[in-house]
Amino acid sequence: MFLQRSAVAIARRAAVAPALRRSLATTAIRRDAVSDPASKKIKTFHEIKTVDDLIGPGAAPGTVPTDLEQSTGLERLEILGKMEGVDIFDMRPLDASRKGTVENPVLVRSAGEEQYAGCTGVPADSHTVIWLGLSKERPVERCPECGSVYKMEYVGPADDHHGHHHHGPEEPKSFANYVKPEYW
Ligand SMILES: [Zn+2]
């Protein structure tokens, strides 16, 4: 709508003053060059170095943008990764080929302070999903239904050592706090 109207305005004014036509036409072309996605190269997954690279070129005027054109941030990184077969969030299901034990737990990778893991038993879907809350402070949890043990493996950024940050609610004290520490 906007483009159509401005094009009509340009044509109208151009009919009045030929000199004005030249300058307006140049302006119109320059604006198109800036907003044309083809003129901005889409960075590939391996060309992403900083968060500033995670901004799409946007869609050409008058078109509906695709996710590749307009997504930003982590969503953009995920899409660019998928295009090259890299699953940045590691969405594979957990290992359900064996039951985790305290000595050899099923590892759950997490980039955050906390991670919820859903257990459906061994083999998978043996019982309804039971959600286990794993955290950096308390990484090991056992499924109350099948007994499988899971352990959170922290893969996020290293602690910045700017004091101890507490995210989320504090772990409630239980009887285990007052007995042997290995009961944790
Ligand atoms: Zn289970």
Short mmCIF file of all heavy atoms in Angstrom, two decimals, residues 99 118-122 127-128 130 132 142-148 150, ligand 1:
data_model
loop_
_atom_site.label_atom_id
_atom_site.label_comp_id
_atom_site.label_asym_id
_atom_site.label_seq_id
_atom_site.Cartn_x
_atom_site.Cartn_y
_atom_site.Cartn_z
N LYS A 99 19.15 -48.99 32.20
CA LYS A 99 18.69 -48.30 33.39
C LYS A 99 19.89 -47.63 34.04
O LYS A 99 20.93 -48.26 34.20
CB LYS A 99 18.06 -49.33 34.34
CG LYS A 99 17.16 -48.71 35.39
CD LYS A 99 16.36 -49.77 36.12
CE LYS A 99 15.08 -50.10 35.38
NZ LYS A 99 14.16 -50.93 36.17
N GLY A 118 12.60 -36.16 31.68
CA GLY A 118 11.43 -37.02 31.73
C GLY A 118 11.84 -38.47 31.57
O GLY A 118 12.46 -38.83 30.58
N CYS A 119 11.49 -39.30 32.57
CA CYS A 119 11.82 -40.72 32.49
C CYS A 119 10.57 -41.49 32.08
O CYS A 119 9.49 -41.26 32.61
CB CYS A 119 12.32 -41.24 33.84
SG CYS A 119 12.75 -43.01 33.80
N THR A 120 10.72 -42.41 31.10
CA THR A 120 9.60 -43.28 30.74
C THR A 120 10.01 -44.74 30.87
O THR A 120 9.38 -45.63 30.32
CB THR A 120 9.10 -43.02 29.29
OG1 THR A 120 10.16 -43.31 28.37
CG2 THR A 120 8.65 -41.59 29.10
N GLY A 121 11.08 -44.99 31.64
CA GLY A 121 11.49 -46.36 31.92
C GLY A 121 12.35 -46.97 30.84
O GLY A 121 12.70 -46.34 29.85
N VAL A 122 12.69 -48.25 31.06
CA VAL A 122 13.52 -49.00 30.11
C VAL A 122 12.79 -50.30 29.77
O VAL A 122 12.44 -51.05 30.67
CB VAL A 122 14.90 -49.35 30.74
CG1 VAL A 122 15.73 -50.16 29.74
CG2 VAL A 122 15.64 -48.09 31.15
N HIS A 127 6.73 -46.82 31.29
CA HIS A 127 5.78 -46.21 32.23
C HIS A 127 5.48 -44.79 31.76
O HIS A 127 6.19 -44.26 30.88
CB HIS A 127 6.30 -46.26 33.68
CG HIS A 127 7.57 -45.50 33.95
ND1 HIS A 127 7.64 -44.12 33.91
CD2 HIS A 127 8.83 -45.93 34.27
CE1 HIS A 127 8.87 -43.75 34.22
NE2 HIS A 127 9.63 -44.82 34.43
N THR A 128 4.45 -44.19 32.33
CA THR A 128 4.11 -42.83 31.93
C THR A 128 5.25 -41.91 32.33
O THR A 128 6.02 -42.21 33.25
CB THR A 128 2.81 -42.34 32.60
OG1 THR A 128 2.96 -42.50 34.01
CG2 THR A 128 1.61 -43.10 32.11
N ILE A 130 7.65 -39.45 33.94
CA ILE A 130 7.83 -38.88 35.28
C ILE A 130 8.95 -37.87 35.18
O ILE A 130 10.05 -38.19 34.71
CB ILE A 130 8.16 -39.99 36.30
CG1 ILE A 130 6.89 -40.82 36.52
CG2 ILE A 130 8.67 -39.39 37.61
CD1 ILE A 130 7.00 -41.88 37.57
N LEU A 132 11.80 -35.46 36.46
CA LEU A 132 12.77 -35.37 37.55
C LEU A 132 13.48 -34.03 37.44
O LEU A 132 13.93 -33.64 36.37
CB LEU A 132 13.79 -36.50 37.43
CG LEU A 132 13.21 -37.92 37.34
CD1 LEU A 132 14.29 -38.91 36.96
CD2 LEU A 132 12.57 -38.32 38.65
N ARG A 142 16.77 -40.02 41.13
CA ARG A 142 16.34 -41.36 40.76
C ARG A 142 14.84 -41.36 40.47
O ARG A 142 14.07 -40.73 41.19
CB ARG A 142 16.63 -42.33 41.92
CG ARG A 142 16.38 -43.79 41.57
CD ARG A 142 16.37 -44.66 42.80
NE ARG A 142 17.70 -44.93 43.37
CZ ARG A 142 18.48 -45.92 42.99
NH1 ARG A 142 18.11 -46.73 42.04
NH2 ARG A 142 19.64 -46.11 43.60
N CYS A 143 14.45 -42.06 39.40
CA CYS A 143 13.04 -42.13 39.05
C CYS A 143 12.31 -42.98 40.10
O CYS A 143 12.71 -44.11 40.35
CB CYS A 143 12.88 -42.75 37.66
SG CYS A 143 11.17 -43.07 37.23
N PRO A 144 11.25 -42.44 40.70
CA PRO A 144 10.54 -43.20 41.74
C PRO A 144 9.76 -44.38 41.17
O PRO A 144 9.33 -45.26 41.92
CB PRO A 144 9.60 -42.16 42.36
CG PRO A 144 9.43 -41.12 41.31
CD PRO A 144 10.69 -41.10 40.50
N GLU A 145 9.56 -44.42 39.86
CA GLU A 145 8.77 -45.49 39.26
C GLU A 145 9.64 -46.70 38.90
O GLU A 145 9.34 -47.82 39.26
CB GLU A 145 8.06 -44.95 38.01
CG GLU A 145 7.17 -45.95 37.30
CD GLU A 145 5.91 -46.30 38.07
OE1 GLU A 145 5.41 -45.44 38.82
OE2 GLU A 145 5.44 -47.44 37.92
N CYS A 146 10.73 -46.46 38.17
CA CYS A 146 11.54 -47.59 37.68
C CYS A 146 12.93 -47.63 38.31
O CYS A 146 13.67 -48.60 38.11
CB CYS A 146 11.66 -47.54 36.16
SG CYS A 146 12.68 -46.17 35.56
N GLY A 147 13.31 -46.60 39.04
CA GLY A 147 14.60 -46.64 39.74
C GLY A 147 15.79 -46.20 38.91
O GLY A 147 16.92 -46.25 39.38
N SER A 148 15.56 -45.78 37.68
CA SER A 148 16.66 -45.35 36.83
C SER A 148 17.27 -44.06 37.39
O SER A 148 16.55 -43.17 37.83
CB SER A 148 16.15 -45.13 35.41
OG SER A 148 17.24 -44.89 34.53
N TYR A 150 19.55 -40.62 37.02
CA TYR A 150 19.96 -39.61 36.03
C TYR A 150 20.90 -38.63 36.70
O TYR A 150 20.77 -38.33 37.88
CB TYR A 150 18.73 -38.86 35.49
CG TYR A 150 17.83 -39.76 34.71
CD1 TYR A 150 16.87 -40.53 35.36
CD2 TYR A 150 17.95 -39.88 33.33
CE1 TYR A 150 16.04 -41.39 34.65
CE2 TYR A 150 17.13 -40.72 32.61
CZ TYR A 150 16.18 -41.48 33.27
OH TYR A 150 15.37 -42.32 32.56
ZN ZN B 1 11.47 -44.21 35.25
#
